[in-house]
Amino acid sequence: MWWVARGRAPHQEVVAVLLSVLLAAGGDGPGGTAGTDETNGTSGTNGPDEAPTLQDAQQTATDAAGWVEENWSTWLSIGLRVLLILVIAITLRHFIRKTITKAITRMNRGADAVDGTGLSGLLVNAERRRQRSEAIGSVLRSVTTFLIMGTAALMILGTFEINLAPLLASAGVAGIALGFGARNLVTDFLSGVFMILEDQYGVGDSIDAGVAVGEVVEVGLRVTKLRGENGAIWYVRNGEVKRIANRSQGWATAHVDVTVRPDEDLGRLRTILTEVGTDLAKDEPWNEELWGPVEVLGLDSVTLDAMVLHVSAKTMPGKATGIERELRWRIKVALDAAGIRMVGDAPAAGEDDDNPAEPSGTAPSAYASANSPQSVAASPIPAPAPASAPAQHLGRP
């Protein structure tokens, strides 16, 4: 080929020709042209202030083409390296995010399959699992994107031989300033992440967060929403929660105190209370909410006026209050049927003479006795007697 015979590469020859044409066209102006000098009749180049000749243009083009030929491989290498970094980063990010999404979907599918069966009471509810899994998935996807794309950006800057030390130092200073300025926000976010990862509480749980008590409506990375007993919605920052009492995890305990007279038969009382607990465990829906037998633990206290028997039962989380109310109802009905009167009940008819009423605890009134000085002083003055006939003296006829 002709470019091979001249010792040039094809792209170098093309660049040289183009630059030569452009420079030659620009040299036809008023500054002078290449050609024969009319003054002395000799041919030569123009002066230093005149436009370059065609040979100069060809030499410049040749130098430019040589520079391009020397550096095009470096540019191609850098471009391919940047493209490879971007392809790997995008592919890895897409694969990891897809894996996280599949794992979250599988967790939600397992919760939906268990919900509505007998195991649903032993596990957290579907809504709680769904919100927790979605929150965890969102955090993991954000962290994955930040790490992968941040690392790719640093690698691309390193490919262009940019000094990363000032950039990293500036990022460190900015991070410290942001940490001091928005430390409450960072604290809330980190606290929310650990609360979700550790499953400290979830949607539907009844918790005592110190600053508020209620049922969890929503768990966020910064704020937790609670619904109080009066229906109010409490927004609690996760960073302000120092302690949490979860009343819906594990199991709960129902406690009932039975107060009767101290002269009642303890064996009979134990039998009655045990029968009440056995009947409660057989009836629905209490048989599912009770996780253990109703136990009569014994006497809590004995005084001159009363004795207290303690009844306890292990229940499903959040069901202790309902079990306690039902136990009190049934124990009261059973004791009334057995003729056992609890302390504080009204005395039965005919028991006033044998079992006088208990003192009310207040001092008796001074006017209760008719012979007391207060009663005598407060009694009305009797009316004067009517005048009678004059008495006759003894010995008179």
Short mmCIF file of all heavy atoms in Angstrom, two decimals, residues 65-132:
data_model
loop_
_atom_site.label_atom_id
_atom_site.label_comp_id
_atom_site.label_asym_id
_atom_site.label_seq_id
_atom_site.Cartn_x
_atom_site.Cartn_y
_atom_site.Cartn_z
N ALA A 65 -0.11 13.49 14.38
CA ALA A 65 -0.47 12.10 14.15
C ALA A 65 0.42 11.15 14.94
O ALA A 65 -0.04 10.12 15.47
CB ALA A 65 -0.40 11.79 12.66
N GLY A 66 1.68 11.51 15.06
CA GLY A 66 2.57 10.67 15.87
C GLY A 66 2.19 10.67 17.34
O GLY A 66 2.25 9.63 18.01
N TRP A 67 1.76 11.87 17.82
CA TRP A 67 1.33 11.94 19.24
C TRP A 67 0.08 11.11 19.48
O TRP A 67 -0.05 10.43 20.48
CB TRP A 67 1.09 13.39 19.60
CG TRP A 67 0.69 13.58 21.04
CD1 TRP A 67 1.50 13.60 22.12
CD2 TRP A 67 -0.65 13.76 21.52
NE1 TRP A 67 0.78 13.79 23.26
CE2 TRP A 67 -0.56 13.89 22.93
CE3 TRP A 67 -1.89 13.84 20.91
CZ2 TRP A 67 -1.67 14.07 23.72
CZ3 TRP A 67 -2.99 14.03 21.67
CH2 TRP A 67 -2.91 14.14 23.08
N VAL A 68 -0.84 11.20 18.51
CA VAL A 68 -2.06 10.40 18.64
C VAL A 68 -1.73 8.92 18.59
O VAL A 68 -2.27 8.10 19.34
CB VAL A 68 -3.06 10.78 17.53
CG1 VAL A 68 -4.25 9.81 17.52
CG2 VAL A 68 -3.55 12.21 17.73
N GLU A 69 -0.79 8.57 17.69
CA GLU A 69 -0.43 7.15 17.57
C GLU A 69 0.25 6.64 18.84
O GLU A 69 0.07 5.49 19.23
CB GLU A 69 0.48 6.97 16.36
CG GLU A 69 0.86 5.52 16.10
CD GLU A 69 1.75 5.38 14.89
OE1 GLU A 69 2.20 6.42 14.36
OE2 GLU A 69 2.01 4.24 14.49
N GLU A 70 0.99 7.49 19.51
CA GLU A 70 1.68 7.08 20.72
C GLU A 70 0.73 6.93 21.91
O GLU A 70 0.97 6.13 22.80
CB GLU A 70 2.77 8.09 21.07
CG GLU A 70 3.93 8.09 20.07
CD GLU A 70 4.96 9.15 20.42
OE1 GLU A 70 4.72 9.89 21.41
OE2 GLU A 70 5.97 9.26 19.72
N ASN A 71 -0.38 7.73 21.94
CA ASN A 71 -1.24 7.75 23.13
C ASN A 71 -2.59 7.07 22.94
O ASN A 71 -3.34 6.93 23.90
CB ASN A 71 -1.50 9.21 23.56
CG ASN A 71 -0.22 9.90 24.02
OD1 ASN A 71 0.20 9.75 25.15
ND2 ASN A 71 0.38 10.66 23.13
N TRP A 72 -2.92 6.67 21.71
CA TRP A 72 -4.25 6.09 21.52
C TRP A 72 -4.40 4.77 22.27
O TRP A 72 -5.48 4.45 22.75
CB TRP A 72 -4.53 5.89 20.03
CG TRP A 72 -3.81 4.71 19.44
CD1 TRP A 72 -2.57 4.69 18.90
CD2 TRP A 72 -4.33 3.38 19.32
NE1 TRP A 72 -2.23 3.45 18.46
CE2 TRP A 72 -3.32 2.61 18.71
CE3 TRP A 72 -5.53 2.77 19.66
CZ2 TRP A 72 -3.47 1.26 18.44
CZ3 TRP A 72 -5.68 1.43 19.40
CH2 TRP A 72 -4.68 0.68 18.80
N SER A 73 -3.34 4.03 22.40
CA SER A 73 -3.42 2.77 23.14
C SER A 73 -3.69 3.02 24.63
O SER A 73 -4.44 2.29 25.27
CB SER A 73 -2.13 1.97 22.96
OG SER A 73 -1.01 2.71 23.43
N THR A 74 -3.09 4.10 25.16
CA THR A 74 -3.34 4.44 26.57
C THR A 74 -4.79 4.85 26.78
O THR A 74 -5.45 4.42 27.74
CB THR A 74 -2.41 5.57 27.02
OG1 THR A 74 -1.06 5.18 26.80
CG2 THR A 74 -2.62 5.88 28.49
N TRP A 75 -5.31 5.68 25.85
CA TRP A 75 -6.71 6.09 25.96
C TRP A 75 -7.65 4.89 25.85
O TRP A 75 -8.63 4.78 26.59
CB TRP A 75 -7.05 7.10 24.88
CG TRP A 75 -6.29 8.40 25.02
CD1 TRP A 75 -5.58 8.82 26.09
CD2 TRP A 75 -6.16 9.40 24.03
NE1 TRP A 75 -5.02 10.04 25.85
CE2 TRP A 75 -5.36 10.44 24.58
CE3 TRP A 75 -6.64 9.56 22.72
CZ2 TRP A 75 -5.04 11.59 23.88
CZ3 TRP A 75 -6.33 10.71 22.02
CH2 TRP A 75 -5.54 11.71 22.60
N LEU A 76 -7.34 4.03 24.92
CA LEU A 76 -8.19 2.84 24.75
C LEU A 76 -8.15 1.96 25.98
O LEU A 76 -9.17 1.42 26.43
CB LEU A 76 -7.73 2.06 23.52
CG LEU A 76 -8.53 0.80 23.18
CD1 LEU A 76 -9.98 1.15 22.91
CD2 LEU A 76 -7.91 0.07 21.99
N SER A 77 -6.96 1.84 26.58
CA SER A 77 -6.83 1.02 27.78
C SER A 77 -7.63 1.62 28.94
O SER A 77 -8.34 0.91 29.66
CB SER A 77 -5.36 0.90 28.17
OG SER A 77 -5.21 0.21 29.40
N ILE A 78 -7.55 2.96 29.10
CA ILE A 78 -8.31 3.61 30.17
C ILE A 78 -9.81 3.48 29.94
O ILE A 78 -10.58 3.18 30.86
CB ILE A 78 -7.91 5.09 30.29
CG1 ILE A 78 -6.45 5.21 30.75
CG2 ILE A 78 -8.84 5.83 31.24
CD1 ILE A 78 -5.93 6.64 30.77
N GLY A 79 -10.24 3.71 28.70
CA GLY A 79 -11.66 3.57 28.41
C GLY A 79 -12.19 2.17 28.65
O GLY A 79 -13.27 1.99 29.22
N LEU A 80 -11.43 1.17 28.23
CA LEU A 80 -11.86 -0.21 28.45
C LEU A 80 -11.89 -0.55 29.94
O LEU A 80 -12.79 -1.26 30.41
CB LEU A 80 -10.94 -1.17 27.70
CG LEU A 80 -11.03 -1.13 26.17
CD1 LEU A 80 -10.01 -2.08 25.55
CD2 LEU A 80 -12.44 -1.49 25.71
N ARG A 81 -10.94 -0.01 30.68
CA ARG A 81 -10.91 -0.28 32.12
C ARG A 81 -12.10 0.36 32.82
O ARG A 81 -12.75 -0.27 33.67
CB ARG A 81 -9.60 0.25 32.71
CG ARG A 81 -9.35 -0.21 34.14
CD ARG A 81 -8.01 0.33 34.65
NE ARG A 81 -6.93 -0.07 33.75
CZ ARG A 81 -5.67 0.36 33.87
NH1 ARG A 81 -5.37 1.24 34.83
NH2 ARG A 81 -4.73 -0.05 33.04
N VAL A 82 -12.42 1.61 32.46
CA VAL A 82 -13.60 2.27 33.06
C VAL A 82 -14.87 1.53 32.70
O VAL A 82 -15.75 1.30 33.54
CB VAL A 82 -13.66 3.73 32.60
CG1 VAL A 82 -14.99 4.38 33.02
CG2 VAL A 82 -12.49 4.52 33.17
N LEU A 83 -14.98 1.12 31.43
CA LEU A 83 -16.17 0.39 30.99
C LEU A 83 -16.29 -0.94 31.73
O LEU A 83 -17.39 -1.33 32.15
CB LEU A 83 -16.10 0.16 29.48
CG LEU A 83 -17.29 -0.59 28.87
CD1 LEU A 83 -18.58 0.21 29.07
CD2 LEU A 83 -17.04 -0.84 27.38
N LEU A 84 -15.18 -1.62 31.93
CA LEU A 84 -15.21 -2.89 32.64
C LEU A 84 -15.62 -2.70 34.10
O LEU A 84 -16.41 -3.48 34.64
CB LEU A 84 -13.82 -3.56 32.56
CG LEU A 84 -13.69 -4.94 33.23
CD1 LEU A 84 -14.63 -5.94 32.58
CD2 LEU A 84 -12.25 -5.42 33.16
N ILE A 85 -15.13 -1.64 34.73
CA ILE A 85 -15.50 -1.37 36.14
C ILE A 85 -16.99 -1.09 36.24
O ILE A 85 -17.68 -1.61 37.14
CB ILE A 85 -14.67 -0.18 36.67
CG1 ILE A 85 -13.19 -0.58 36.82
CG2 ILE A 85 -15.22 0.29 38.02
CD1 ILE A 85 -12.28 0.58 37.20
N LEU A 86 -17.53 -0.28 35.32
CA LEU A 86 -18.96 0.03 35.36
C LEU A 86 -19.82 -1.21 35.12
O LEU A 86 -20.83 -1.42 35.80
CB LEU A 86 -19.29 1.11 34.33
CG LEU A 86 -18.76 2.52 34.62
CD1 LEU A 86 -19.08 3.46 33.48
CD2 LEU A 86 -19.33 3.06 35.93
N VAL A 87 -19.42 -2.02 34.16
CA VAL A 87 -20.20 -3.24 33.87
C VAL A 87 -20.20 -4.18 35.06
O VAL A 87 -21.25 -4.71 35.46
CB VAL A 87 -19.64 -3.93 32.61
CG1 VAL A 87 -20.27 -5.31 32.43
CG2 VAL A 87 -19.91 -3.08 31.38
N ILE A 88 -19.04 -4.37 35.67
CA ILE A 88 -18.97 -5.27 36.83
C ILE A 88 -19.78 -4.71 38.00
O ILE A 88 -20.51 -5.45 38.68
CB ILE A 88 -17.50 -5.49 37.23
CG1 ILE A 88 -16.76 -6.28 36.14
CG2 ILE A 88 -17.42 -6.24 38.56
CD1 ILE A 88 -15.29 -6.47 36.41
N ALA A 89 -19.68 -3.40 38.26
CA ALA A 89 -20.40 -2.79 39.38
C ALA A 89 -21.91 -2.89 39.18
O ALA A 89 -22.64 -3.27 40.10
CB ALA A 89 -19.97 -1.33 39.55
N ILE A 90 -22.39 -2.55 37.97
CA ILE A 90 -23.84 -2.60 37.72
C ILE A 90 -24.35 -4.03 37.79
O ILE A 90 -25.42 -4.31 38.35
CB ILE A 90 -24.14 -1.96 36.35
CG1 ILE A 90 -23.82 -0.47 36.39
CG2 ILE A 90 -25.60 -2.18 35.97
CD1 ILE A 90 -23.96 0.23 35.06
N THR A 91 -23.60 -4.97 37.23
CA THR A 91 -24.02 -6.37 37.26
C THR A 91 -24.06 -6.90 38.69
O THR A 91 -25.02 -7.58 39.10
CB THR A 91 -23.08 -7.23 36.41
OG1 THR A 91 -23.03 -6.70 35.07
CG2 THR A 91 -23.55 -8.67 36.36
N LEU A 92 -23.01 -6.60 39.46
CA LEU A 92 -22.97 -7.08 40.84
C LEU A 92 -24.08 -6.45 41.67
O LEU A 92 -24.73 -7.13 42.48
CB LEU A 92 -21.60 -6.74 41.44
CG LEU A 92 -21.33 -7.24 42.87
CD1 LEU A 92 -21.40 -8.76 42.92
CD2 LEU A 92 -19.97 -6.75 43.36
N ARG A 93 -24.34 -5.16 41.47
CA ARG A 93 -25.43 -4.49 42.21
C ARG A 93 -26.78 -5.11 41.87
O ARG A 93 -27.60 -5.37 42.76
CB ARG A 93 -25.42 -3.00 41.88
CG ARG A 93 -26.58 -2.22 42.46
CD ARG A 93 -26.47 -0.76 42.07
NE ARG A 93 -27.65 0.00 42.51
CZ ARG A 93 -28.74 0.14 41.77
NH1 ARG A 93 -28.80 -0.44 40.57
NH2 ARG A 93 -29.76 0.84 42.22
N HIS A 94 -27.02 -5.34 40.59
CA HIS A 94 -28.29 -5.93 40.18
C HIS A 94 -28.46 -7.33 40.75
O HIS A 94 -29.55 -7.69 41.24
CB HIS A 94 -28.36 -5.96 38.66
CG HIS A 94 -29.58 -6.66 38.13
ND1 HIS A 94 -30.84 -6.11 38.17
CD2 HIS A 94 -29.74 -7.90 37.56
CE1 HIS A 94 -31.71 -6.95 37.66
NE2 HIS A 94 -31.08 -8.04 37.28
N PHE A 95 -27.40 -8.12 40.74
CA PHE A 95 -27.49 -9.50 41.24
C PHE A 95 -27.75 -9.52 42.74
O PHE A 95 -28.61 -10.27 43.22
CB PHE A 95 -26.18 -10.23 40.92
CG PHE A 95 -26.11 -11.62 41.49
CD1 PHE A 95 -26.82 -12.67 40.91
CD2 PHE A 95 -25.34 -11.89 42.62
CE1 PHE A 95 -26.76 -13.95 41.43
CE2 PHE A 95 -25.28 -13.16 43.15
CZ PHE A 95 -25.99 -14.20 42.55
N ILE A 96 -27.05 -8.68 43.52
CA ILE A 96 -27.23 -8.67 44.97
C ILE A 96 -28.61 -8.15 45.34
O ILE A 96 -29.29 -8.71 46.22
CB ILE A 96 -26.11 -7.85 45.64
CG1 ILE A 96 -24.75 -8.52 45.41
CG2 ILE A 96 -26.38 -7.69 47.12
CD1 ILE A 96 -23.59 -7.78 46.01
N ARG A 97 -29.06 -7.08 44.69
CA ARG A 97 -30.39 -6.54 44.99
C ARG A 97 -31.48 -7.55 44.65
O ARG A 97 -32.47 -7.68 45.38
CB ARG A 97 -30.61 -5.24 44.22
CG ARG A 97 -29.81 -4.07 44.76
CD ARG A 97 -29.97 -2.86 43.85
NE ARG A 97 -31.35 -2.38 43.86
CZ ARG A 97 -31.82 -1.45 44.67
NH1 ARG A 97 -31.02 -0.90 45.57
NH2 ARG A 97 -33.07 -1.07 44.60
N LYS A 98 -31.32 -8.26 43.55
CA LYS A 98 -32.30 -9.28 43.19
C LYS A 98 -32.31 -10.42 44.19
O LYS A 98 -33.37 -10.94 44.55
CB LYS A 98 -31.99 -9.80 41.78
CG LYS A 98 -33.07 -10.70 41.22
CD LYS A 98 -32.76 -11.08 39.78
CE LYS A 98 -33.88 -11.96 39.19
NZ LYS A 98 -33.57 -12.32 37.77
N THR A 99 -31.14 -10.81 44.67
CA THR A 99 -31.06 -11.86 45.69
C THR A 99 -31.75 -11.43 46.98
O THR A 99 -32.49 -12.20 47.60
CB THR A 99 -29.59 -12.22 45.96
OG1 THR A 99 -28.96 -12.62 44.74
CG2 THR A 99 -29.50 -13.34 46.97
N ILE A 100 -31.53 -10.18 47.40
CA ILE A 100 -32.17 -9.67 48.61
C ILE A 100 -33.69 -9.64 48.44
O ILE A 100 -34.45 -10.03 49.35
CB ILE A 100 -31.62 -8.28 48.95
CG1 ILE A 100 -30.14 -8.35 49.34
CG2 ILE A 100 -32.43 -7.63 50.07
CD1 ILE A 100 -29.49 -7.01 49.52
N THR A 101 -34.15 -9.20 47.28
CA THR A 101 -35.60 -9.15 47.03
C THR A 101 -36.21 -10.54 47.07
O THR A 101 -37.31 -10.74 47.63
CB THR A 101 -35.86 -8.49 45.68
OG1 THR A 101 -35.27 -7.18 45.67
CG2 THR A 101 -37.36 -8.37 45.42
N LYS A 102 -35.55 -11.53 46.49
CA LYS A 102 -36.06 -12.90 46.53
C LYS A 102 -36.12 -13.43 47.96
O LYS A 102 -37.09 -14.11 48.33
CB LYS A 102 -35.19 -13.81 45.67
CG LYS A 102 -35.37 -13.61 44.17
CD LYS A 102 -34.55 -14.62 43.38
CE LYS A 102 -34.79 -14.49 41.88
NZ LYS A 102 -33.99 -15.47 41.10
N ALA A 103 -35.10 -13.13 48.75
CA ALA A 103 -35.10 -13.59 50.14
C ALA A 103 -36.24 -12.96 50.93
O ALA A 103 -36.93 -13.64 51.71
CB ALA A 103 -33.76 -13.27 50.79
N ILE A 104 -36.49 -11.66 50.72
CA ILE A 104 -37.59 -10.99 51.42
C ILE A 104 -38.93 -11.56 50.98
O ILE A 104 -39.84 -11.79 51.80
CB ILE A 104 -37.53 -9.47 51.16
CG1 ILE A 104 -36.22 -8.89 51.73
CG2 ILE A 104 -38.72 -8.78 51.79
CD1 ILE A 104 -35.99 -9.12 53.18
N THR A 105 -39.09 -11.82 49.69
CA THR A 105 -40.34 -12.41 49.19
C THR A 105 -40.56 -13.79 49.76
O THR A 105 -41.69 -14.16 50.12
CB THR A 105 -40.30 -12.46 47.66
OG1 THR A 105 -40.04 -11.15 47.14
CG2 THR A 105 -41.61 -12.98 47.11
N ARG A 106 -39.51 -14.58 49.89
CA ARG A 106 -39.64 -15.92 50.46
C ARG A 106 -40.04 -15.85 51.93
O ARG A 106 -40.85 -16.66 52.41
CB ARG A 106 -38.32 -16.68 50.31
CG ARG A 106 -38.42 -18.16 50.66
CD ARG A 106 -37.10 -18.88 50.43
NE ARG A 106 -36.72 -18.83 49.03
CZ ARG A 106 -35.70 -18.12 48.57
NH1 ARG A 106 -34.98 -17.37 49.41
NH2 ARG A 106 -35.40 -18.14 47.30
N MET A 107 -39.50 -14.89 52.67
CA MET A 107 -39.88 -14.72 54.07
C MET A 107 -41.36 -14.35 54.19
O MET A 107 -42.09 -14.91 55.02
CB MET A 107 -39.03 -13.63 54.72
CG MET A 107 -37.58 -14.01 54.91
SD MET A 107 -36.58 -12.63 55.52
CE MET A 107 -37.45 -12.24 57.02
N ASN A 108 -41.84 -13.44 53.34
CA ASN A 108 -43.25 -13.05 53.39
C ASN A 108 -44.16 -14.19 52.98
O ASN A 108 -45.24 -14.37 53.53
CB ASN A 108 -43.48 -11.85 52.48
CG ASN A 108 -42.77 -10.60 52.97
OD1 ASN A 108 -42.51 -10.46 54.15
ND2 ASN A 108 -42.46 -9.70 52.06
N ARG A 109 -43.73 -15.01 52.01
CA ARG A 109 -44.54 -16.15 51.58
C ARG A 109 -44.66 -17.17 52.70
O ARG A 109 -45.73 -17.75 52.92
CB ARG A 109 -43.93 -16.79 50.34
CG ARG A 109 -44.82 -17.85 49.69
CD ARG A 109 -44.14 -18.50 48.51
NE ARG A 109 -43.77 -17.51 47.50
CZ ARG A 109 -42.52 -17.26 47.14
NH1 ARG A 109 -41.52 -17.91 47.72
NH2 ARG A 109 -42.26 -16.36 46.22
N GLY A 110 -43.59 -17.39 53.45
CA GLY A 110 -43.66 -18.32 54.58
C GLY A 110 -44.57 -17.82 55.67
O GLY A 110 -45.32 -18.58 56.28
N ALA A 111 -44.58 -16.51 55.90
CA ALA A 111 -45.48 -15.94 56.92
C ALA A 111 -46.93 -16.07 56.49
O ALA A 111 -47.81 -16.36 57.30
CB ALA A 111 -45.11 -14.48 57.17
N ASP A 112 -47.22 -15.85 55.20
CA ASP A 112 -48.59 -15.97 54.72
C ASP A 112 -49.08 -17.41 54.80
O ASP A 112 -50.26 -17.66 55.05
CB ASP A 112 -48.68 -15.48 53.27
CG ASP A 112 -48.38 -13.99 53.17
OD1 ASP A 112 -48.54 -13.30 54.19
OD2 ASP A 112 -47.99 -13.53 52.08
N ALA A 113 -48.19 -18.38 54.60
CA ALA A 113 -48.61 -19.78 54.67
C ALA A 113 -48.94 -20.19 56.09
O ALA A 113 -49.84 -21.00 56.33
CB ALA A 113 -47.50 -20.67 54.11
N VAL A 114 -48.23 -19.64 57.07
CA VAL A 114 -48.46 -20.01 58.47
C VAL A 114 -49.64 -19.25 59.05
O VAL A 114 -50.36 -19.75 59.93
CB VAL A 114 -47.18 -19.74 59.29
CG1 VAL A 114 -47.44 -19.95 60.78
CG2 VAL A 114 -46.07 -20.66 58.83
N ASP A 115 -49.90 -18.04 58.54
CA ASP A 115 -50.97 -17.22 59.10
C ASP A 115 -52.32 -17.90 58.92
O ASP A 115 -52.66 -18.40 57.85
CB ASP A 115 -50.99 -15.85 58.40
CG ASP A 115 -51.91 -14.89 59.12
OD1 ASP A 115 -52.07 -15.04 60.33
OD2 ASP A 115 -52.45 -13.99 58.45
N GLY A 116 -53.11 -17.93 59.98
CA GLY A 116 -54.41 -18.57 59.94
C GLY A 116 -54.42 -20.00 60.40
O GLY A 116 -55.48 -20.61 60.54
N THR A 117 -53.26 -20.58 60.68
CA THR A 117 -53.18 -21.95 61.17
C THR A 117 -52.91 -21.96 62.66
O THR A 117 -52.84 -20.91 63.30
CB THR A 117 -52.05 -22.70 60.43
OG1 THR A 117 -50.80 -22.06 60.72
CG2 THR A 117 -52.28 -22.67 58.92
N GLY A 118 -52.75 -23.15 63.20
CA GLY A 118 -52.50 -23.26 64.64
C GLY A 118 -51.16 -22.72 65.05
O GLY A 118 -50.95 -22.37 66.22
N LEU A 119 -50.21 -22.63 64.10
CA LEU A 119 -48.88 -22.12 64.44
C LEU A 119 -48.81 -20.60 64.43
O LEU A 119 -47.81 -20.04 64.82
CB LEU A 119 -47.85 -22.67 63.43
CG LEU A 119 -47.63 -24.18 63.44
CD1 LEU A 119 -46.65 -24.55 62.34
CD2 LEU A 119 -47.13 -24.64 64.80
N SER A 120 -49.87 -19.95 63.93
CA SER A 120 -49.81 -18.49 63.84
C SER A 120 -49.73 -17.83 65.21
O SER A 120 -49.18 -16.74 65.35
CB SER A 120 -51.05 -17.97 63.10
OG SER A 120 -52.23 -18.34 63.80
N GLY A 121 -50.27 -18.48 66.24
CA GLY A 121 -50.18 -17.90 67.57
C GLY A 121 -48.80 -17.99 68.16
O GLY A 121 -48.42 -17.20 69.01
N LEU A 122 -48.01 -18.98 67.70
CA LEU A 122 -46.66 -19.13 68.22
C LEU A 122 -45.67 -18.23 67.51
O LEU A 122 -44.58 -17.98 68.01
CB LEU A 122 -46.21 -20.59 68.07
CG LEU A 122 -47.07 -21.62 68.81
CD1 LEU A 122 -46.57 -23.02 68.50
CD2 LEU A 122 -47.08 -21.38 70.30
N LEU A 123 -46.00 -17.77 66.31
CA LEU A 123 -45.11 -16.95 65.53
C LEU A 123 -45.63 -15.52 65.48
O LEU A 123 -46.77 -15.25 65.85
CB LEU A 123 -44.97 -17.50 64.11
CG LEU A 123 -44.46 -18.94 64.01
CD1 LEU A 123 -44.46 -19.39 62.55
CD2 LEU A 123 -43.08 -19.08 64.60
N VAL A 124 -44.78 -14.63 65.00
CA VAL A 124 -45.21 -13.25 64.84
C VAL A 124 -46.21 -13.17 63.70
O VAL A 124 -46.22 -14.00 62.80
CB VAL A 124 -43.99 -12.34 64.55
CG1 VAL A 124 -43.10 -12.26 65.75
CG2 VAL A 124 -43.20 -12.85 63.35
N ASN A 125 -47.09 -12.17 63.74
CA ASN A 125 -48.12 -12.08 62.71
C ASN A 125 -47.51 -11.67 61.37
O ASN A 125 -46.38 -11.21 61.28
CB ASN A 125 -49.20 -11.08 63.13
CG ASN A 125 -48.64 -9.71 63.44
OD1 ASN A 125 -48.13 -9.03 62.56
ND2 ASN A 125 -48.70 -9.31 64.70
N ALA A 126 -48.34 -11.88 60.32
CA ALA A 126 -47.85 -11.67 58.96
C ALA A 126 -47.49 -10.22 58.70
O ALA A 126 -46.49 -9.93 58.03
CB ALA A 126 -48.90 -12.15 57.96
N GLU A 127 -48.29 -9.29 59.21
CA GLU A 127 -48.01 -7.87 58.98
C GLU A 127 -46.71 -7.45 59.63
O GLU A 127 -45.92 -6.69 59.07
CB GLU A 127 -49.16 -7.02 59.51
CG GLU A 127 -48.99 -5.52 59.34
CD GLU A 127 -48.94 -5.10 57.89
OE1 GLU A 127 -49.38 -5.89 57.02
OE2 GLU A 127 -48.46 -3.98 57.63
N ARG A 128 -46.47 -7.97 60.83
CA ARG A 128 -45.21 -7.63 61.50
C ARG A 128 -44.03 -8.18 60.72
O ARG A 128 -43.04 -7.48 60.51
CB ARG A 128 -45.23 -8.21 62.92
CG ARG A 128 -43.87 -8.13 63.61
CD ARG A 128 -43.93 -8.68 65.00
NE ARG A 128 -42.61 -8.75 65.61
CZ ARG A 128 -42.38 -9.15 66.85
NH1 ARG A 128 -43.39 -9.50 67.60
NH2 ARG A 128 -41.17 -9.19 67.33
N ARG A 129 -44.11 -9.43 60.27
CA ARG A 129 -43.02 -10.01 59.50
C ARG A 129 -42.83 -9.25 58.19
O ARG A 129 -41.70 -9.05 57.73
CB ARG A 129 -43.30 -11.48 59.23
CG ARG A 129 -43.18 -12.38 60.45
CD ARG A 129 -43.46 -13.81 60.05
NE ARG A 129 -42.43 -14.29 59.14
CZ ARG A 129 -41.48 -15.14 59.47
NH1 ARG A 129 -41.43 -15.61 60.69
NH2 ARG A 129 -40.59 -15.55 58.58
N ARG A 130 -43.94 -8.84 57.56
CA ARG A 130 -43.82 -8.14 56.29
C ARG A 130 -43.10 -6.80 56.47
O ARG A 130 -42.18 -6.48 55.71
CB ARG A 130 -45.21 -7.91 55.69
CG ARG A 130 -45.18 -7.33 54.28
CD ARG A 130 -46.56 -6.88 53.86
NE ARG A 130 -47.02 -5.77 54.68
CZ ARG A 130 -46.63 -4.52 54.49
NH1 ARG A 130 -45.78 -4.21 53.53
NH2 ARG A 130 -47.08 -3.56 55.28
N GLN A 131 -43.52 -6.01 57.46
CA GLN A 131 -42.88 -4.72 57.67
C GLN A 131 -41.42 -4.88 58.08
O GLN A 131 -40.55 -4.13 57.62
CB GLN A 131 -43.65 -3.92 58.73
CG GLN A 131 -44.96 -3.36 58.24
CD GLN A 131 -45.40 -2.16 59.04
OE1 GLN A 131 -44.63 -1.64 59.86
NE2 GLN A 131 -46.61 -1.70 58.82
N ARG A 132 -41.16 -5.85 58.93
CA ARG A 132 -39.77 -6.06 59.36
C ARG A 132 -38.90 -6.48 58.18
O ARG A 132 -37.78 -5.99 58.00
CB ARG A 132 -39.73 -7.11 60.46
CG ARG A 132 -38.32 -7.43 60.95
CD ARG A 132 -38.37 -8.30 62.19
NE ARG A 132 -37.04 -8.67 62.62
CZ ARG A 132 -36.46 -9.82 62.33
NH1 ARG A 132 -37.11 -10.73 61.62
NH2 ARG A 132 -35.24 -10.09 62.74
#
